[in-house]
Amino acid sequence: MQPFLDRIAGFEPTPEEAASRRWIYVPYDRLHDEVGPLAQSSPGETVIVMMESRAKGTRRPYHKKKLTLVLSAMRHFALEQGKRGCRVVYGSSPASFADGLLQLQDKWIWKELVVNRPAERELRIELRAAKERGLRVRAVTDTAWLSTSEDFEAVFGAFDLEKNKGGKRQYLMDKFYRSMRSKSGFLMKGGKPIGGKWSYDSENRRAYHGEVPVPQRPTFPPDDITSEVMELIEQRHPEHFGNIAGFDLAVTRKDAETAWAFALENLLPHFGPWEDAMSTEHRDLFHSLTSPLVNLTLLRPRDLVEQVAEAFAAGSIPLASAEGFIRQLIGWREFMRHVHEATDGYRLLEATTDKPTDDYAGAEISYLNAHRKLPAVYWGVPSGMRCMDTVVAGVVDDGWSHHITRLMVLSNLATLCGFSPRELTDWFWFAYVDAYDWVVETNVLGMSTFGDGGLTATKPYVSGAAYINRMSDFCGKCPLDPKKTLGEGSCPFTALYWSFLERNEDKLSHLQRMRMPLNTMRTRNAEQRRELRDRAQQAIDQLERGECVA
Ligand code: FAD
């Protein structure tokens, strides 16, 4: 089979076409011809520019499946657009996007390159720098989003550090979500939420015991284009995180739509009740697995939300599941990207400290003063904690795990032990196929580790062993006993939880939702607290030495 770069070269414009057509740069994460400038340009009048950057690929040890997904999806999109009648100039730069685009501009001498305003801060920075170096580029509104910065500011105003001091909070996802529901009209009737409640989260907390069989999802084995990318990744990045074998994600819009149609019909009806459940046998349960596809715009969030609302109206998805899913997309997803942009990826929270000089160095915030190094268990070294070992093994394999395993296993352990939120964020960033700066920094550095001191969450998401035992089947075969708090063979989550509360009492006592756990912690006498601290410290030491917790 002809190599991709030779095939795509066949779609380059003639000099006449180059001079007369409109030039549009399509970034790696906007692979849809019905969003942004591409939606307003007929194929016969368009030249599409796409660019692979090796500097981006090596900036972090990205999961090999993530690099495969992104590059293969880009290459498929480029060929599809060529077949649709667009002309395509496809660059592959050993350096940055900026360098690659400037080089192409020297060759093709376009008058103007139009681009969707990039979703990732990292790409916005690159384009800004390239513009200063002479790149003739103009960013226009990114219509892939469901909301605008104005929508966000209308609810919260511009970011103000002072408004968040002393336990006050400027941002509340719920407030934004309600305004989005009202504005969009999804699941609304007569200006009120259908069913009378904005959220049905309280109905969505069941553990999974096989009540409904988990259906087999469609998979998409590699074609020749994906296989070529996989070879390239293995050759270029052999030391990167994760297994590349078994890659079976959708890399085209058509396959993404097949995956979504299946999820809509077979998974979404059961999504709500088991949204928070964790299972060894069924890693993904009824989650849609749409985030990698939506974040690349192989699927448009608007289409997903509309179709779920229609399915609810037709009676095929219950309200709690439909509302839960729609809240993730028009609420959390949009909210997180606005918080990221408004705070410059949390860099504005560092106002009083030395700012990093490197544009790509992430914000080093840690409200709870957590600075321990992330231990080897996150790289797949066994810890003896079955929940951690099972979830990490899944991430090494798939570059994915669902929300609750991210929040209540991987992040929970890091927050309780005091591992650095920045290091954990960077780990999620390279380990997950759906991670991009705007979504991973807000979810990890902000929400899941409380690194931002409550800008994105009303309390730290932490728990002892009882929660994991109740919501999963991990503990059943674990050598560590979730019902035992102290001594050999006890699950360390519980001792870690109580000593976390003790250690951070001053920093958490102003939070309404932490009053009860803090009061319970205070009922322990000095001796009990010391025992809990010792057990917690022993587990942290073992994890830091790369040993199994015993
Ligand atoms: P569902 O659970 O079916 O939800 C539907 C859609 O909602 C998804 O397509 C997703 O795009 C969106 N969504 C749901 N929750 C969120 C959220 N909190 N923020 C943004 N979008 C959301 N999501 C990412 O897309 N990329 C990340 O790098 C990422 N990192 C995370 C790290 C941690 C520690 C936590 C707790 C959450 C993170 N999330 C991230 C959010 C969420 O876990 C995933 O979006 C979700 O698990 C994807 O599963 P799904 O596609 O089956 O979506």
Side-chain angles (χ1 to χ4, degrees), residues 271 275 286-292 294-295 304 325 328-329 332-334 336 400-404 406-407 411 428 432 434-436 438-440 443-444 447-448:
F271 169 70
E275 198 180 331
F286 301 102
H287 289 265
S288 67
L289 252 85
T290 44
S291 54
V294 177
N295 292 350
L304 270 49
F325 186 84
Q328 312 304 328
L329 277 170
W332 279 113
R333 188 171 185 273
E334 298 282 322
M336 290 310 211
W400 200 87
S401 76
H402 74 67
H403 188 73
I404 296 301
R406 298 186 205 204
L407 188 65
S411 235
F428 269 105
Y432 276 71
D434 59 7
Y436 297 89
W438 58 270
V439 64
V440 76
N443 270 292
V444 190
M447 200 247 296
S448 78

Side-chain angles (χ1 to χ4, degrees), residues 398-440:
D398 299 341
W400 200 87
S401 76
H402 74 67
H403 188 73
I404 296 301
T405 48
R406 298 186 205 204
L407 188 65
M408 298 313 293
V409 177
L410 300 167
S411 235
N412 189 15
L413 182 74
T415 308
L416 294 179
C417 291
F419 299 141
S420 151
R422 180 72 250 167
E423 282 198 29
L424 185 72
T425 306
D426 291 338
W427 179 83
F428 269 105
W429 198 339
F430 64 69
Y432 276 71
V433 292
D434 59 7
Y436 297 89
D437 59 13
W438 58 270
V439 64
V440 76

Side-chain angles (χ1 to χ4, degrees), residues 335-379:
F335 175 77
M336 290 310 211
R337 74 106 176 173
H338 287 303
V339 170
H340 195 265
E341 186 155 359
T343 61
D344 194 23
Y346 291 123
R347 282 162 187 78
L348 300 185
L349 270 72
E350 296 183 311
T352 53
T353 60
D354 289 341
K355 292 214 175 154
T357 46
D358 178 352
D359 272 341
Y360 302 109
E364 288 278 355
I365 51 167
S366 176
Y367 174 74
L368 298 175
N369 233 342
H371 297 294
R372 290 178 185 279
K373 278 194 81 54
L374 204 62
V377 54
Y378 289 86
W379 277 262

Side-chain angles (χ1 to χ4, degrees), residues 54 90 124 203 229 289 335 376 406 503 514 517:
R54 207 171 315 166
Y90 196 99
R124 291 200 294 274
E203 294 174 24
V229 170
L289 252 85
F335 175 77
R406 298 186 205 204
R503 186 170 78 240
M514 292 308 287

